[in-house]
Amino acid sequence: MDCKTWVFIGNRIFTMEEENFISEQMKRFLSQWKSHGQPLEAKGYCLKQAALVLIANERDVQASGCSIDKINHWVRSLGESMGIDFFDRFNVLVENEDGVWTLERFNPQNANKAITANLTSSNELNRLLNLKISIL
């Protein structure tokens, strides 16, 4: 099943303490996230200590404009409190030859293999990460 996906890539790597803090805050946000009063089935996680990934199963309840605005507001507020810019769309994650994902600036050479903020499909994210799992 393909799910709606939002990726926010930071401008630096998170410390382990920051990643734990972000994960706790994300769980709290997603447990209360609603669309037109209906709870959304969603999960979130930190990816490669550099990005936030939020995934919503829109089978029963679709994310509305207001609920999407809430994601952006939450991520912006979180980033400001931590000194991380999650809204520079030129930050990407790219897998190098050794299989290590690195935080880089977008360029045409890494376009086909980069995880970017434009990624909106959980299936595409799984393909790039070479995963064979269902997120939700």
Side-chain angles (χ1 to χ4, degrees), residues 88-136:
D88 182 342
R89 301 300 190 210
F90 284 97
N91 292 331
V92 298
L93 287 170
V94 178
E95 187 176 25
N96 67 23
E97 303 82 37
D98 299 323
V100 176
W101 287 87
T102 59
L103 181 61
E104 297 182 13
R105 299 295 287 172
F106 176 82
N107 69 58
Q109 287 84 19
N110 65 23
N112 290 336
K113 57 183 179 177
I115 295 174
T116 72
N118 293 328
L119 194 143
T120 60
S121 161
S122 61
N123 287 344
E124 180 65 9
L125 180 63
N126 285 342
R127 183 191 68 76
L128 286 166
L129 294 172
N130 198 26
L131 298 176
K132 308 272 190 289
I133 60 170
S134 173
I135 303 292
L136 292 175

Side-chain angles (χ1 to χ4, degrees), residues 2-53:
D2 196 18
C3 296
K4 178 70 174 170
T5 303
W6 293 267
V7 178
F8 297 90
I9 302 172
N11 61 330
R12 64 174 176 79
I13 299 297
F14 315 145
T15 66
M16 288 306 291
E17 292 81 14
E18 288 173 329
E19 186 169 352
N20 291 334
F21 175 77
I22 291 168
S23 294
E24 288 175 24
Q25 296 300 310
M26 196 176 325
K27 284 180 190 173
R28 186 172 300 134
F29 170 78
L30 292 174
S31 72
Q32 300 171 11
W33 191 34
K34 295 180 180 183
S35 179
H36 299 290
Q38 299 291 336
L40 286 156
E41 181 184 359
K43 301 271 187 212
Y45 60 93
C46 293
L47 178 64
K48 307 301 179 188
Q49 288 185 276
L52 310 179
V53 177

Side-chain angles (χ1 to χ4, degrees), residues 75-94:
V75 171
R76 187 170 308 282
S77 177
L78 178 72
E80 287 173 358
S81 73
M82 301 179 72
I84 301 172
D85 181 3
F86 288 108
F87 288 89
D88 182 342
R89 301 300 190 210
F90 284 97
N91 292 331
V92 298
L93 287 170
V94 178

